[in-house]
C-alpha cells in the first residue's frame, strides 16, 4: 500500500464503535465541513452544511452539537473540538481577528465554542491546520521544512520551518496569493497590482480566459481545453510561469525540503506538474529545486488538521502521533 493509500484508509474508515473522539469542523465561506473523528483516526460521522450569510457562530455551534449527538449515539466519549477557519487568526487567544468572507472582526470564537460545548476547543487557521495534517499523515510527513500551497478560488500557504509553523506578528503569515510577482501587473481585488492569485487561482484563471475572448468556463474546463484552444494554452502558460516564480521565491526564502500543492489547481495533474517543475528548475541557477508533490489529503486536510488540534487541546498529543506510525514515510 502506498503512503497516500495508507493516509486515505486511515482517515476514511467508517468503523462504528465506542471510544474516544473529537469533533472537527473546517469552516469556509460557502460550507462548513464537520466530522466526528475517533482516537484511531477514523472518520465516524461526516456532516456538511452551507455557511449562512449571517449568524455564522450560531450555525457553527449547531453543527458541533449535532456532531456531538451523533458521537453519543455511537457510544463515543467526546474529549475536545477543533475548528479551522480562514482569516487572520490569533490562535493563542482563540480570536479571529479578521475574516473577510465571514464578515468577522475580533470574534472570540474559541471561548464561544467552549462555553457552548463544555469541552476543550482548539482554533486554527484553515491552511495552517491543513499543513499540520499534511505534515503528520500526508504528503509532508517525515520533514520539518515544507510549504503547503492550496490553490483554489484564492491562494494561501502554510509555512513550516525547523518543525515550527510560521504565523507572523499579526497571525497573517502565508498570504502567498498576495505577493506581487508581476511588475505593473493586473489589478487584484486586494488593491495591489500583480498579485500571484490574479494569475494562478481558479477564479483568476477563469477571469483572464474570459477577458482574452474565451467563453465563461471554470478552471477545470479551461484545463480540459489545453492543446486544442490557443486562449486556454496562453492563460495557462502564464499561470504556470507566475506560480513557478512564486514557488522559487518561497524556495529561496525558506529552503523547504518539499512543496505540497493542494486545491483544485493541483487536480490538473501532469498538465501542471510537468511544466511547473521544469520552469522552477530553469529559474534556480545555483541550486536544485525542492521536491514538488500533490496533497495526499485533498479537501479533507483542513478538517483533519482541526481534529489533530482538538486532540492536542484535550491533552492527548500522542493520539495523533500514533496515526503517523502506521503510515509509511514517502
Amino acid at each position: 500500500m502506498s503512503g497516500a493509500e495508507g493516509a486515505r484508509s486511515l482517515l476514511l474508515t467508517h468503523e462504528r464503535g465506542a471510544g474516544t473522539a473529537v469533533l472537527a469542523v473546517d469552516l469556509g465561506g460557502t460550507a462548513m465541513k464537520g466530522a466526528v473523528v475517533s482516537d484511531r483516526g477514523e472518520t465516524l460521522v461526516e456532516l456538511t452544511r452551507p455557511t449562512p450569510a449571517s449568524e455564522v457562530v450560531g450555525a457553527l455551534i449547531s453543527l458541533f452539537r449535532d456532531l456531538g449527538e451523533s458521537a453519543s449515539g455511537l457510544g463515543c466519549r467526546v474529549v475536545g473540538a477543533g475548528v479551522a477557519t480562514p482569516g487572520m487568526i490569533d490562535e493563542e487567544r482563540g480570536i479571529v481577528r479578521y475574516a473577510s468572507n465571514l464578515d468577522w472582526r475580533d470574534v472570540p470564537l474559541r471561548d464561544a465554542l467552549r462555553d457552548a460545548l463544555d469541552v476543550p476547543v482548539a482554533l486554527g487557521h484553515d491552511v495552517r491546520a491543513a499543513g499540520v495534517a499534511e505534515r503528520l499523515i500526508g504528503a509532508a510527513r517525515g520533514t520539518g521544512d515544507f510549504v503547503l500551497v492550496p490553490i483554489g478560488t484564492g491562494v494561501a500557504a502554510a509555512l513550516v520551518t525547523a518543525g515550527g509553523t510560521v504565523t507572523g506578528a499579526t497571525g497573517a503569515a502565508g498570504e502567498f496569493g498576495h505577493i506581487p510577482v508581476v511588475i505593473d501587473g493586473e489589478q487584484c481585488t486586494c488593491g495591489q497590482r500583480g498579485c500571484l492569485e490574479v494569475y494562478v487561482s481558479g477564479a483568476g484563471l477563469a477571469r483572464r480566459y474570459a477577458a482574452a475572448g474565451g467563453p465563461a468556463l471554470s478552471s477545470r474546463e479551461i484545463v480540459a481545453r489545453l492543446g486544442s484552444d490557443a486562449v486556454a494554452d496562453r492563460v495557462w502558460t502564464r499561470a504556470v510561469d507566475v506560480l513557478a516564480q512564486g514557488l522559487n521565491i518561497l524556495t529561496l526564502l525558506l529552503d523547504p525540503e518539499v512543496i505540497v500543492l493542494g486545491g483544485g489547481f493541483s487536480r490538473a495533474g501532469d498538465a501542471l506538474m510537468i511544466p511547473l517543475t521544469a520552469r522552477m528548475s530553469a529559474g534556480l541557477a545555483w541550486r536544485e529545486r525542492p521536491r514538488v508533490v500533490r496533497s495526499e489529503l485533498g479537501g479533507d486536510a483542513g478538517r483533519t488538521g482541526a481534529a489533530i488540534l482538538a486532540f492536542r487541546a484535550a491533552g492527548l498529543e500522542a493520539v495523533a502521533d500514533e496515526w503517523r506510525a502506521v503510515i509509511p514515510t514517502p
Side-chain angles (χ1 to χ4, degrees), residues 277-313:
T277 53
R279 288 167 204 174
M280 286 182 65
S281 294
L284 295 168
W286 50 267
R287 59 156 293 162
E288 293 183 356
R289 64 167 174 81
R291 188 163 52 94
V292 182
V293 300
R294 295 172 61 190
S295 165
E296 292 184 2
L297 302 179
D300 291 331
R303 192 179 66 189
T304 303
I308 293 168
L309 296 178
F311 276 115
R312 291 176 178 174

Side-chain angles (χ1 to χ4, degrees), residues 217-232:
L217 297 177
S218 69
S219 59
R220 182 177 298 184
E221 291 169 327
I222 293 168
V223 170
R225 291 186 171 217
L226 295 177
S228 60
D229 181 333
V231 176

Side-chain angles (χ1 to χ4, degrees), residues 182 199 208 233-243 279:
V182 180
Y199 301 86
R208 296 190 75 244
D233 290 342
R234 186 163 67 251
V235 297
W236 182 253
T237 296
R238 183 62 163 153
V240 173
D241 286 343
V242 170
L243 180 57
R279 288 167 204 174

Side-chain angles (χ1 to χ4, degrees), residues 9-198:
S9 66
L10 181 71
L11 292 167
L12 299 180
T13 300
H14 290 263
E15 279 187 17
R16 307 290 179 176
T20 300
V22 294
L23 315 177
V25 174
D26 183 3
L27 173 62
T30 58
M32 304 182 294
K33 300 190 295 183
V36 177
V37 180
S38 79
D39 57 4
R40 297 184 298 275
E42 299 160 346
T43 299
L44 302 176
V45 177
E46 294 178 292
L47 288 176
T48 298
R49 292 180 181 165
T51 302
S54 62
E55 303 297 332
V56 177
V57 174
L60 182 60
I61 289 172
S62 177
L63 174 58
F64 269 117
R65 285 175 171 164
D66 288 346
L67 288 168
E69 289 180 5
S70 295
S72 296
L74 295 173
C76 294
R77 180 173 64 94
V78 174
V79 296
V83 58
T85 176
M88 296 173 58
I89 314 298
D90 184 338
E91 291 164 328
E92 183 175 345
R93 298 177 62 192
I95 297 172
V96 181
R97 290 297 184 194
Y98 176 64
S100 60
N101 56 354
L102 298 172
D103 195 26
W104 279 357
R105 284 189 181 275
D106 296 324
V107 175
L109 185 59
R110 184 178 64 195
D111 286 350
L113 293 175
R114 187 166 51 199
D115 290 345
L117 303 175
D118 197 28
V119 294
V121 174
L123 170 66
H125 183 273
D126 54 357
V127 177
R128 291 197 288 266
V132 168
E134 290 287 357
R135 184 186 176 201
L136 191 72
I137 57 173
R141 61 192 178 278
T143 178
D145 292 274
F146 78 97
V147 175
L148 168 65
V149 181
I151 307 173
T153 303
V155 186
L159 314 172
V160 177
T161 183
T165 301
V166 179
T167 59
T170 65
E175 289 290 348
F176 180 53
H178 293 292
I179 294 177
V181 294
V182 180
I183 297 175
D184 296 325
E186 297 180 23
Q187 185 83 33
C188 179
T189 56
C190 76
Q192 299 179 157
R193 286 195 170 273
C195 289
L196 181 140
E197 75 173 39
V198 170

